[in-house]
Amino acid sequence: MKPDNARSDSTPRPRLVPDEPFPSYSYVSGRFPHPTRDPAGHSYGIVPVSSPVPDAKSWRDCRPYLFGLDLFNHGYYWEAHEVWEGLWHAAGRSGLTANFMQALIKLAAAGVKAREARPEGVRRHSRRAAELFQQVAHQLAEGQSSYFGLSLPQLIAFATDIENGSCTLNGLTGAPVEIVFCFVLRPE
């Protein structure tokens, strides 16, 4: 997971599940059709697939988790939120893995709020993401600082930077897909 300070949608970003296509737009309320409820939505009529129970030890094999990272890194915040929410439900909505998924969901929600130009929502969701990442970090075995391949100290720092306004990119254009954060989530 490395910072990416360039403001350009052409910045090379890794694809973890390259055979999974991206939607035609990233949903922003009031600007684009709701993906599942509107007949013009990018996922209208698609039956959601049940998510597997995510396992921190085999995260490399969890396609929904990896695709959520792809979506997030490429500016599809609402869609990443939806994918990770499926994993959060599969994880039972409580406990270590569920808290981690919920933190990712909050990070994605901050991206949605940034696209909506709602700074208080960005701050609120990023603050909650940092809190949840801290809870996960405290529950890990001594000496363990990463979970699902991501560095928790770095995730906490990213969420805190977003809350403080130092990692949200400016100059949004209203394009169908826009990257709003100055970092890339790269599991190692």
Side-chain angles (χ1 to χ4, degrees), residues 34-111:
H34 190 279
T36 59
R37 293 193 300 247
D38 189 312
H42 64 59
S43 297
Y44 185 76
I46 296 174
V47 178
V49 177
S50 295
S51 294
V53 176
D55 179 3
K57 293 178 183 154
S58 60
W59 62 265
R60 288 175 180 86
D61 300 322
C62 186
R63 284 179 60 90
Y65 168 67
L66 297 174
F67 187 52
L69 292 173
D70 279 348
L71 289 165
F72 182 92
N73 287 334
H74 289 84
Y76 295 87
Y77 303 106
W78 186 89
E79 293 77 7
H81 175 292
E82 291 295 299
V83 169
W84 289 331
E85 188 169 20
L87 293 170
W88 176 67
H89 282 282
R93 298 174 17 181
S94 66
L96 183 63
T97 297
N99 286 346
F100 181 76
M101 292 300 157
Q102 188 178 27
L104 289 174
I105 291 165
K106 292 297 183 182
L107 210 56

Side-chain angles (χ1 to χ4, degrees), residues 1-164:
M1 201 167 56
K2 299 182 175 37
D4 180 359
N5 296 318
R7 172 62 175 128
S8 169
D9 293 344
S10 64
T11 301
R13 290 171 178 265
R15 281 298 308 265
L16 302 168
V17 187
D19 60 321
E20 189 73 43
F22 285 139
S24 56
Y25 61 89
S26 176
Y27 178 62
V28 177
S29 179
R31 271 195 249 164
F32 302 104
H34 190 279
T36 59
R37 293 193 300 247
D38 189 312
H42 64 59
S43 297
Y44 185 76
I46 296 174
V47 178
V49 177
S50 295
S51 294
V53 176
D55 179 3
K57 293 178 183 154
S58 60
W59 62 265
R60 288 175 180 86
D61 300 322
C62 186
R63 284 179 60 90
Y65 168 67
L66 297 174
F67 187 52
L69 292 173
D70 279 348
L71 289 165
F72 182 92
N73 287 334
H74 289 84
Y76 295 87
Y77 303 106
W78 186 89
E79 293 77 7
H81 175 292
E82 291 295 299
V83 169
W84 289 331
E85 188 169 20
L87 293 170
W88 176 67
H89 282 282
R93 298 174 17 181
S94 66
L96 183 63
T97 297
N99 286 346
F100 181 76
M101 292 300 157
Q102 188 178 27
L104 289 174
I105 291 165
K106 292 297 183 182
L107 210 56
V112 171
K113 295 305 177 191
R115 296 267 335 263
E116 293 174 344
R118 297 178 65 186
E120 183 51 40
V122 172
R123 285 189 292 276
R124 185 180 67 252
H125 287 297
S126 59
R127 179 174 39 251
R128 183 64 180 137
E131 291 168 356
L132 287 162
F133 286 133
Q134 288 170 348
Q135 287 177 15
V136 170
H138 289 145
Q139 291 178 299
L140 293 178
E142 189 172 328
Q144 185 180 354
S145 63
S146 68
Y147 198 63
F148 278 82
L150 298 175
S151 163
L152 286 163
Q154 201 164 38
L155 287 169
I156 293 164
F158 288 156
T160 302
D161 287 348
I162 294 167
E163 180 185 1
N164 295 332

